């Protein structure tokens, strides 16, 4: 029996911060992560093991991850773009390590300069690296299918291709796969259809999480669709940080605060305390005074007499 | 067979405009309504028959409604707070006429200075007035259950009370009832539960529509829940106008543009053309230069290769 009905994976420190130009000082990141964990957020993606020249915002990922690993009970996730990143990542002993594989090969070539086969070769090498570790030091290794719901370059992607690549990731040695709506193209019907198709191919236990963006305002509706069909881990970002400056109100990832409100209001336990979550938001707001924070529930407050899921 | 899978009822000219202090000139309203109708919006709530002293923003409702009634194929909805309002309303021969009944009696007393029984007496008088009209001139008469998902004064409302008042509205002579989340308290599970309970009491054909607010960012998720369970008419407001100025990003009603995108992306036909809808938004933006317009899809644009529902 899971501790929670739905597990929130807070990706703000990675996906949020990598998408804004401001570089958050390490001390602020640690304070923010402390506050998120204190609110009961069960998993935090703390950074990405990419060269500092590519993403200076995440140059302190190793330090941040080491700190986060000392927080009791917290699952610490990191992203790695390739084998070199994984070599660096395992030194901090993350709980979870993800590598993205873009379903759009055009996007893959532009993003990581590798085609599908080349990324899958990296995945195999990383899987072997993970298996070379003592059992109690192995991170859960996830292959994240990015642009799974459509690509800004290719347009629609083939659902058969998503399924095929999910199988290939599992065969290459991943513990599980994830679905990412990198482009904010997903709709609720598509979410449910694609989750079911991937489940049919790799088994329900090997796809538990989804990563959604709010580019077209569909984030919570897509999260609802995913949860309805049986997804149990949902990525989200505090304040929806990471949005495109060209699209006012277009937050990046779905907003943690509103997602937690939806789930708890529906009677789905997340383990997260609202007052402490809003306190963490204040820490974020103070650390990023020039970045807009999205989300409605913090401003509106909880409904009168509101009770969390029991 | 319905012409569309889901019927959008655009409430911006009524609920949106009544909630902002700017008074939109009548000519701008007419141009906006023309553009909405040209985009294929099947129903528009054009105003409310309340005294101009109470809502000067809607003082031109009769003129606007008369104009809208000349647009071929458009369903023209109006709101009436009482019998006097209904007397004025029927002169413009609206397609639909709604009266709100607040499930929270405290809210009812503050809002219209009448308790439940007194509102129901008004409903009976209005129903008789409607029945006194020639059949081809009778508007569809709807009783809208406001604060149906919770009240900012009373907090949670009893679902049994919602059902009881739905039955009372039908017995008082309404053609149908509607559910309104006036306070933005609703969650998807509650939406589905309450719709089913009311259906069990009054019959599925007598509750077809829902009115949602986006106060806590739950609007589209709640709309999805409603549509999944079988609701076929969804109120929404272009640009989500009418939001609370104290809550940045907290739009009023759910945003028409994002709702239409969600539905069409899911393969649910709304009959609405996006280019024409975005053109109507530009008219609104020009008419209300100092009001923020919400919604993500207009800024983000449609996904590459996107196709509407067939």
């Amino acid at each position: 029996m899971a501790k929670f009905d739905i597990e929130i994976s807070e990706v703000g420190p990675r996906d949020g911060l990598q998408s804004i130009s401001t570089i958050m000082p390490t001390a602020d990141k640690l304070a923010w992560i402390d506050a998120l964990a204190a609110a009961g957020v069960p998993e935090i993606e703390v950074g990405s093991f990419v060269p500092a020249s590519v993403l200076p915002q995440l140059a302190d990922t190793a330090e941040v991850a080491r700190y986060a690993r000392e927080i009791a009970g917290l699952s610490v996730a990191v992203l790695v773009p390739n084998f070199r990143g994984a070599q660096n990542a395992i030194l901090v002993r993350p709980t979870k390590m993800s590598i993205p594989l873009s379903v759009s090969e055009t996007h893959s070539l532009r993003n990581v300069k590798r085609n599908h086969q080349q990324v899958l070769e990296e995945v195999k090498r990383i899987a072997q690296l993970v298996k070379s570790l003592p059992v109690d030091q192995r991170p859960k290794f996830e292959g994240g299918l990015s642009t799974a719901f459509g690509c800004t370059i290719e347009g629609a992607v083939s659902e058969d291709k998503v399924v095929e690549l999910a199988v290939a990731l599992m065969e290459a040695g991943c513990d599980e796969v994830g679905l990412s709506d990198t482009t904010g193209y997903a709709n609720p019907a598509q979410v449910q259809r694609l989750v079911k198709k991937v489940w049919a191919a790799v088994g329900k236990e090997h796809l538990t999480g989804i990563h959604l963006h709010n580019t077209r305002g569909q984030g919570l509706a897509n999260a609802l669709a995913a949860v309805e069909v049986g997804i149990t881990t949902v990525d989200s970002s505090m304040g929806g940080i990471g949005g495109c400056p060209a699209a006012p109100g277009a937050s990046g990832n779905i907003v943690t605060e509103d997602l937690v409100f939806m789930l708890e209001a529906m009677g789905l336990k997340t383990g997260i305390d609202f007052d402490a979550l809003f306190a963490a938001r204040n820490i974020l707001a103070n650390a990023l005074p020039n970045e807009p924070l999205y989300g409605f529930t913090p401003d509106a407050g909880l409904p009168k007499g509101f009770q969390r899921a029991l």
Side-chain angles (χ1 to χ4, degrees), chain A:
Chain A
M1 178 93 186
K3 203 170 164 191
F4 311 118
D5 295 315
I6 304 294
E7 184 159 310
I8 301 291
S9 183
E10 167 65 43
V11 299
R14 197 276 302 170
D15 203 357
L17 294 184
Q18 80 172 31
S19 308
I20 62 179
S21 55
T22 309
I23 298 179
M24 188 188 282
T26 306
D28 287 341
K29 290 188 186 182
L30 304 187
W32 181 29
I33 287 168
D34 270 337
L36 286 164
V41 174
E43 179 170 285
I44 304 177
E45 193 174 57
V46 297
S48 186
F49 283 90
V50 290
S53 57
V54 177
L55 285 177
Q57 302 97 318
L58 304 183
D60 58 1
T61 290
E63 183 182 350
V64 174
R66 279 201 185 88
Y67 179 87
R69 283 295 278 135
E70 298 297 317
I71 300 173
L74 181 68
S75 171
V76 177
V78 298
L79 196 128
V80 298
N82 50 32
F83 182 74
R84 170 68 66 89
Q87 285 180 307
N88 293 327
I90 60 169
L91 301 177
V92 305
R93 296 195 186 172
T95 321
K96 186 170 158 186
M97 184 167 72
S98 302
I99 183 168
L101 169 59
S102 187
V103 179
S104 157
E105 200 155 31
T106 320
H107 178 262
S108 185
L109 287 165
R110 288 208 198 168
N111 196 37
V112 294
K113 298 181 178 57
R114 288 188 173 86
N115 64 22
H116 286 158
Q117 206 45 56
Q118 291 168 319
V119 175
L120 287 167
E121 288 302 322
E122 292 288 298
V123 171
K124 278 180 199 163
R125 291 179 68 199
I126 297 171
Q128 284 161 0
L129 176 67
V130 169
K131 287 197 181 80
S132 74
L133 299 172
V135 171
D136 63 347
Q137 291 179 23
R138 292 180 193 162
K140 188 193 283 181
F141 180 39
E142 182 194 78
L145 291 155
S146 57
T147 66
F149 298 89
C151 169
T152 50
I153 310 162
E154 291 192 4
V157 303
S158 150
E159 295 185 354
D160 289 344
K161 176 60 79 176
V162 177
V163 172
E164 178 191 317
L165 291 175
V167 171
L169 282 168
M170 291 304 297
E171 288 175 351
C174 286
D175 297 311
E176 61 179 58
V177 297
L179 291 178
S180 293
D181 180 23
T182 316
T183 55
Y185 274 28
N187 70 70
Q190 185 186 21
V191 165
Q192 297 194 340
R193 192 172 60 236
L194 199 53
V195 167
K196 286 179 190 167
K197 281 190 180 180
V198 174
W199 277 347
V202 305
K204 194 168 176 176
E205 70 278 19
H206 295 129
L207 168 64
T208 61
I210 198 159
H211 177 96
L212 298 162
H213 279 249
N214 202 31
T215 318
R216 289 168 184 81
Q218 311 295 310
L220 276 200
N222 286 333
L224 173 65
V227 166
E228 281 177 336
V229 81
I231 287 291
T232 53
T233 298
V234 184
D235 288 4
S236 62
S237 166
M238 175 157 270
I241 58 169
C244 172
S251 69
N253 295 280
I254 59 174
V255 177
T256 302
E257 299 90 319
D258 291 344
L259 173 65
V260 172
F261 172 66
M262 180 179 82
L263 297 171
E264 291 281 339
M266 291 176 73
L268 295 170
K269 197 171 179 174
T270 65
I272 295 174
D273 175 78
F274 282 102
D275 287 340
L277 191 69
F278 296 161
R281 181 181 168 100
N282 287 338
I283 288 174
L284 177 63
N286 290 331
L288 296 176
N290 299 317
E291 293 291 335
L293 294 193
Y294 302 98
F296 298 73
T297 311
D299 289 321
L302 296 173
K304 183 169 181 175
F306 180 76
Q307 295 196 319
R308 282 171 58 190
L310 298 177

